[in-house]
Amino acid sequence: MDKVSSDCPYPGCFFCVMKEGNPSKRRASILKFFRELPAQDDDGQVLPISGLWNTAMAHPNDPEFIELGIFECMAALIWKGLKNRRWLSHDQNIYIPYYAAHIIGSYTMNMEEFAASAVHAGVIPPLVELLRGRLTWVEQRVAVRALGHLATYASTFPAVTSHGEILELSIQLAMSSLEIVYSHFYQYVDRRLSYHCDLLTRGMGGVEMESRKAEEWASQLQCWSLQLINCFAFKPEFLPTICKPEFLTKLPGMWGGLVNENSPAGIGLLRTICHHKLGRGPVAGCPSIIESLCNISRSSDDWQYMTIDCLLWLLQDPSTFHKVVDKAVPALVDLAEITTLGDHKKLGDSIVNVLEECVQSQGTGRNSFSNRTKELIEELLNSRQRLKWEKNMPKEDLHIKQAAALVVKLEGNSLFSSGNISGAASKYSEALALSPMRSKKERVVLYSNRAQCHLLLQQPLTAISDATRALCLHNPLNRHAKSLWRRAQAYDMLGFAKESLLDAILFINECSQSNDPDLSLRQNKVPDYAERLVKKQMRAAWLFREAAIKHGGVHCEGDAGDIFGRETDDSEWETASESDIGNDGRDEMGNEEEEEDDDDDDDDSEWKNNDERKEKYDKSSIKDLKHGYNVQLAEDEP
């Protein structure tokens, strides 16, 4: 190709070609450029490739380059990098396979016809070689991304499955990706490949930026692997390969971390698996998975509806019912007040209907469960019946019940202030029995107060149950600040770092938006007690934690023997000082009585506590726990 501009140092420069004013000449020059580029060994080849990468990212639906042969060119460049190490190590060519795979992924993520063109151009075999790890984890990341897009479409999925090893490779990558990135990049700063650092920072430099970006890319590597596996999971013939216990048990922990919190991650794949009968059996056979599903169903993250779907499907399947019922029912009962969750309408009604079917099927002898489980379902159904009765009650009678509930609640507040925590919890239960079902705001307060009592009594499971019920009743859903904080502490007592962290962060967000003087953050400072909990859980839920332990992590002083590698950056939380919060945080949330307007919303449900269990908790944690509760005494306390 002739040089287009005498000022350009590179013959056949792609950027000069793009400046061609004549459309037909321009297209002919681009076509020739794509055909000739893989055979050239000139310096400066990475420049047009990076330009193509930027174009693909900005205009992934533009068909021009696809029609002119960009997929054939990119596939040839990947093969060249795999086969010709001399060329790969020359100049900046080491970047080219990464950019080439990224370009393929960008142009195939939205358009099925582009994906078909890519398959026809032969992109799958070189992408599979990158997926195998023939180069480095950075190229694996963009290869699994591109293959995941190709597997999404009905017309190109068979071409992906024709390479039988792709599924196995993706499963192995999902399980090992965090360890790969930790051991090959994060752990040893002095051994990092310079081009990895350049790619991760994109000119922003610095070890801290590289580390943060490495966590983000490691999360993407795992989540994109799961997305590819998810495409296979829709087909029953692939479920036996996917549903191996060593893989299934790891899925609930594949959450993407805070850097990738919007990905469905492992829970999304579990939902796909549970949708089919062949998948439900292996899932139900792993008690740790069911426990994780129950925990996540009670959390305030984007995956809540996915776990609820899994639990409902497992209960509706007669072959898995008996394995999950006694664990799933307590969690679902707590969630029965949910009305709308995302796009899911009347989700609480769906839960009640399934649980009612459970009782009916037990009557036919097909299923059996414990007496405690039966009691929980019956209490839920009775509360629904109570709601119907109350709709027909005279308003005067409802007002009497409401006033009686208020009196009992105030008695509970008084007992709480005097230190009689058990007595206060009983009074809140009594008030719940009196309070009209449609008085949702009042019931939120009662459940939240009772959750606080159970925490101080070291009954975290019951506290989680009550806090969850309060959050499900609250409008908007999962946004009652004090219940979020109480549940965060309860999860902390049980050692569930991820769930505690998510609730604590949401608590801080709610404080920042609250008009309540007890909750609002002074000068946008994070409360010190919340800051401590977030820092603790960020370390415990650190993306590379398991890899760091395996490869010899660092003992952190003052963290009860906690082991982890490089400490995650806490700078965004280091905004509160003790001088800003008087009396060890006691002034952060005052004792003023809240105004609770009675809510006439049309929903249901009152239940008693879940199961209660004494939990061991170290003295320093107890001190922090009481610290938090001294800060926020029972709501409506006079």
Side-chain angles (χ1 to χ4, degrees):
M1 188 182 296
D2 297 331
K3 187 186 295 186
V4 178
S5 171
S6 59
D7 298 328
C8 180
Y10 298 110
C13 173
F14 173 76
F15 300 103
C16 296
V17 167
M18 294 297 293
K19 294 177 183 178
E20 172 61 57
N22 186 312
S24 59
K25 285 186 178 181
R26 179 175 175 273
R27 285 178 62 85
S29 296
I30 293 172
L31 179 64
K32 185 178 180 184
F33 176 82
F34 285 152
R35 287 177 177 173
E36 295 180 353
L37 183 63
Q40 296 177 356
D41 288 327
D42 301 326
D43 291 347
Q45 286 181 301
V46 75
L47 291 176
I49 303 299
S50 63
L52 288 169
W53 170 75
N54 279 311
T55 301
M57 292 285 286
H59 307 287
N61 301 334
D62 188 336
E64 181 182 27
F65 289 166
I66 283 78
E67 296 168 355
L68 297 175
I70 192 171
F71 288 136
E72 289 84 353
C73 180
M74 296 303 106
L77 287 171
I78 295 173
W79 278 125
K80 187 172 183 177
L82 290 167
K83 296 177 179 179
N84 190 339
R85 293 306 175 102
R86 179 197 60 78
W87 172 82
L88 187 67
S89 62
H90 179 68
D91 194 39
Q92 292 185 315
N93 293 341
I94 196 167
Y95 293 89
I96 291 178
Y98 166 83
Y99 281 129
H102 207 303
I103 288 166
I104 294 170
S106 295
Y107 276 122
T108 56
M109 65 182 173
N110 298 328
M111 309 293 286
E112 185 168 3
E113 57 266 38
F114 291 2
S117 297
V119 170
H120 183 72
V123 302
I124 292 180
L127 289 174
V128 172
E129 291 300 310
L130 294 181
L131 184 64
R132 286 177 179 153
R134 283 280 300 277
L135 293 181
T136 73
W137 65 271
V138 166
E139 288 78 20
Q140 281 181 302
R141 169 181 167 270
V142 287
V144 77
R145 168 181 177 260
L147 288 168
H149 294 324
L150 295 174
T152 302
Y153 307 109
S155 61
T156 53
F157 179 69
V160 176
T161 62
S162 67
H163 295 262
E165 62 193 312
I166 289 180
L167 178 56
E168 289 281 6
L169 289 170
S170 301
I171 290 172
Q172 289 301 316
L173 190 58
M175 290 194 293
S176 62
S177 54
L178 302 184
E179 183 178 349
I180 290 171
V181 178
Y182 179 82
S183 59
H184 288 76
F185 185 87
Y186 199 100
Q187 186 177 18
Y188 301 109
V189 175
D190 55 344
R191 298 183 193 175
R192 292 177 178 175
L193 298 177
S194 59
Y195 89 99
H196 282 184
C197 297
D198 291 341
L199 284 173
L200 265 66
T201 57
R202 297 178 186 175
M204 288 184 283
V207 172
E208 187 58 47
M209 178 61 69
E210 293 164 6
S211 299
R212 287 186 181 184
K213 203 67 177 177
E215 290 188 46
E216 181 181 340
W217 280 26
S219 172
Q220 290 173 357
L221 179 58
Q222 186 175 72
C223 290
W224 284 340
S225 300
L226 293 170
Q227 182 207 348
L228 178 52
I229 300 166
N230 195 65
C231 295
F232 284 85
F234 281 104
K235 306 292 184 180
E237 61 266 31
F238 297 108
L239 287 175
T241 302
I242 297 171
C243 293
K244 303 286 178 59
E246 60 270 22
F247 178 56
L248 287 182
T249 54
K250 290 182 178 292
L251 282 179
M254 297 182 186
W255 68 297
L258 294 176
V259 295
N260 207 11
E261 71 273 14
N262 293 324
S263 167
I267 296 301
L269 179 54
L270 276 173
R271 181 175 182 267
T272 303
I273 292 170
C274 287
H275 193 264
H276 199 281
K277 187 175 184 66
L278 285 176
R280 290 194 286 270
V283 170
C286 296
S288 63
I289 297 179
I290 305 305
E291 182 178 359
S292 296
L293 288 173
C294 292
N295 290 336
I296 297 169
S297 72
R298 291 186 177 112
S299 64
S300 305
D301 58 38
D302 295 332
W303 311 321
Q304 190 176 15
Y305 80 91
M306 296 183 183
T307 59
I308 294 172
D309 283 347
C310 290
L311 294 173
L312 292 178
W313 291 332
L314 290 165
L315 282 177
Q316 290 174 299
D317 188 334
S319 66
T320 58
F321 175 91
H322 64 285
K323 295 181 180 179
V324 304
V325 61
D326 288 327
K327 287 188 177 180
V329 167
L332 291 171
V333 165
D334 291 343
L335 300 164
E337 288 285 7
I338 292 177
T339 51
T340 299
L341 182 60
D343 295 331
H344 287 57
K345 308 297 183 183
K346 297 185 177 179
L347 186 56
D349 289 342
S350 299
I351 292 172
V352 173
N353 291 338
V354 171
L355 296 182
E356 189 171 17
E357 290 171 7
C358 291
V359 174
Q360 293 170 352
S361 66
Q362 190 195 36
T364 64
R366 287 186 297 157
N367 297 315
S368 62
F369 42 80
S370 69
N371 289 334
R372 178 57 181 154
T373 298
K374 185 178 180 181
E375 289 173 4
L376 286 170
I377 298 176
E378 288 177 347
E379 288 169 6
L380 172 59
L381 298 179
N382 289 339
S383 70
R384 287 294 172 114
Q385 189 62 46
R386 177 180 159 190
L387 177 63
K388 293 178 181 178
W389 291 338
E390 289 180 354
K391 286 183 178 179
N392 298 321
M393 288 180 66
K395 287 188 177 180
E396 294 79 6
D397 291 350
L398 286 175
H399 290 156
I400 291 171
K401 286 171 62 71
Q402 187 175 323
L406 176 60
V407 170
V408 176
K409 179 181 68 175
L410 294 175
E411 291 174 358
N413 289 350
S414 179
L415 289 171
F416 183 93
S417 296
S418 65
N420 186 349
I421 307 302
S422 296
S426 297
K427 285 295 181 181
Y428 295 139
S429 297
E430 186 180 339
L432 281 165
L434 291 168
S435 179
M437 298 298 294
R438 289 192 296 173
S439 297
K440 289 189 175 182
K441 290 183 179 180
E442 183 69 16
R443 296 178 71 80
V444 167
V445 171
L446 290 169
Y447 276 124
S448 189
N449 281 1
R450 197 170 69 175
Q452 181 174 350
C453 292
H454 288 306
L455 269 172
L456 292 175
L457 294 169
Q458 296 190 60
Q459 297 167 349
L461 288 174
T462 316
I464 289 169
S465 174
D466 279 343
T468 300
R469 294 178 181 191
L471 289 161
C472 289
L473 280 166
H474 190 259
N475 186 18
L477 178 72
N478 290 330
R479 291 298 181 268
H480 185 245
K482 293 182 180 180
S483 295
L484 285 166
W485 175 244
R486 287 156 190 167
R487 194 170 66 178
Q489 296 247 10
Y491 275 131
D492 179 42
M493 291 178 73
L494 293 171
F496 298 143
K498 179 188 73 176
E499 290 80 4
S500 177
L501 174 61
L502 293 175
D503 277 350
I505 291 174
L506 276 175
F507 164 71
I508 292 170
N509 290 341
E510 289 305 305
C511 288
S512 68
Q513 301 169 26
S514 176
N515 294 322
D516 184 343
D518 289 349
L519 292 171
S520 59
L521 304 183
R522 296 181 178 181
Q523 301 176 357
N524 293 321
K525 301 295 185 182
V526 176
D528 60 341
Y529 54 87
E531 178 188 353
R532 283 196 302 272
L533 184 61
V534 166
K535 285 184 176 181
K536 174 184 176 181
Q537 307 303 22
M538 285 184 75
R539 289 192 292 269
W542 184 42
L543 201 64
F544 294 127
R545 178 180 171 83
E546 286 190 21
I549 293 173
K550 182 175 180 179
H551 291 270
V554 180
H555 284 268
C556 176
E557 293 183 8
D559 224 12
D562 196 16
I563 305 174
F564 59 99
R566 179 185 303 279
E567 185 168 345
T568 51
D569 177 57
D570 292 327
S571 58
E572 61 183 301
W573 303 108
E574 292 174 356
T575 55
S577 63
E578 293 188 10
S579 60
D580 292 325
I581 306 172
N583 299 322
D584 292 332
R586 289 176 175 79
D587 292 342
E588 193 63 29
M589 297 184 193
N591 304 342
E592 294 181 16
E593 184 171 337
E594 295 181 355
E595 293 182 4
E596 294 294 343
D597 297 322
D598 290 327
D599 193 341
D600 290 328
D601 288 349
D602 235 64
D603 248 0
D604 6 287
S605 193
E606 180 210 5
W607 317 273
K608 295 181 181 177
N609 290 338
N610 251 344
D611 57 331
E612 299 182 5
R613 186 175 71 186
K614 272 282 187 181
E615 297 294 331
K616 293 182 179 178
Y617 207 54
D618 61 84
K619 291 182 179 179
S620 61
S621 298
I622 289 287
K623 182 178 179 182
D624 245 14
L625 177 67
K626 291 182 177 178
H627 216 64
Y629 290 115
N630 287 334
V631 166
Q632 39 183 343
L633 296 174
E635 298 181 63
D636 292 339
E637 185 178 23

